[in-house]
Amino acid sequence: AVGGALWVGWREGTIPLALFVDTGGWWIDIGLGLAAGAALIGAWRLLARLSDRARELERRLGDMLGPLEPAEVVALALLSGFAEELFFRGAMQGSWGWLPATIIFAAIHTGPGPAFRLWTLFAALAGLVLAGLMLWRGNLVAPVVAHVLVNGVNLGRVVSESGESPGDGRGEPSPETPPSDSERAG
């Protein structure tokens, strides 16, 4: 977010309010962001139902993130959604155009193995949708709302599913699971 703000400020000489919100049509932007976010969530859920790789990706991301409290999920979704949109759609797309911004956005959503390539492809699709919202509406409200919704729903689902085995669904070990070295030391 800081990098995006500095980039926009350097390019524009100031950080215009109009980049963030259309004061006359903000409710349209919120509605479009919610609709786009819901469509992307639906597309991912369909893919996860049909693809072993998508389910593997969800497991691996859940393992990497570990258990999170609902407030942590919300905070991560808000922070990542706002920061990435300010940087990619606000700064990068405003300077270099939608295609380079989308390609680089997809490229940073990667990791090792075939499951993570699927994440990169999905990020490319999401990046196109978010870039289109920015082009259409001319401000960050719709892309931010869509991005926060996608991240919040998917993070919440991935970390809740990762914490369900073994344990009680909150990432805590079941009584049969021996304590880890750090739990014994703590």
Side-chain angles (χ1 to χ4, degrees), residues 8 15-23 29 134 137-141:
V8 170
I15 301 173
L17 177 63
L19 173 65
F20 294 97
V21 65
D22 172 4
T23 56
D29 297 322
M134 183 66 185
R137 298 300 298 163
N139 68 78
L140 290 170
V141 171

Side-chain angles (χ1 to χ4, degrees), residues 10 13 19 30 35 42 49 71 84 86 95 99-100 118 122 132 138 141 171 177:
W10 173 76
L19 173 65
I30 290 174
R49 232 181 256 136
E84 289 183 22
L86 177 55
S95 294
L99 187 58
L118 184 60
F122 186 78
V141 171
T177 305

Side-chain angles (χ1 to χ4, degrees), residues 36-185:
L40 288 167
I41 291 165
W44 179 259
R45 287 211 172 156
L46 178 62
L47 186 60
R49 232 181 256 136
L50 301 175
S51 168
D52 290 338
R53 286 208 174 135
R55 290 187 297 277
E56 176 191 347
L57 174 62
E58 288 184 339
R59 281 191 301 276
R60 290 183 66 188
L61 288 172
D63 290 345
M64 288 168 53
L65 290 166
L68 296 174
E69 295 296 321
E72 294 171 313
V73 169
V74 170
L76 279 173
L78 287 168
L79 179 63
S80 63
F82 176 76
E84 289 183 22
E85 291 312 304
L86 177 55
F87 187 81
F88 287 100
R89 258 48 77 188
M92 190 176 288
Q93 183 171 322
S95 294
W96 297 348
W98 65 269
L99 187 58
T102 299
I103 291 169
I104 296 169
F105 178 78
I108 67 158
H109 290 82
T110 192
F116 281 92
R117 286 193 288 276
L118 184 60
W119 188 29
T120 304
L121 289 173
F122 186 78
L125 170 67
L128 287 171
V129 169
L130 299 169
L133 289 170
M134 183 66 185
L135 284 171
W136 181 19
R137 298 300 298 163
N139 68 78
L140 290 170
V141 171
V144 167
V145 167
H147 200 147
V148 168
L149 180 62
V150 168
N151 284 5
V153 169
N154 287 341
L155 274 172
R157 193 178 75 259
V158 165
V159 298
S160 72
E161 290 175 5
S162 73
E164 289 176 2
S165 62
D168 63 359
R170 295 176 301 173
E172 304 204 6
S174 64
E176 315 73 65
T177 305
S180 67
D181 291 341
S182 63
E183 289 171 325
R184 281 192 291 268

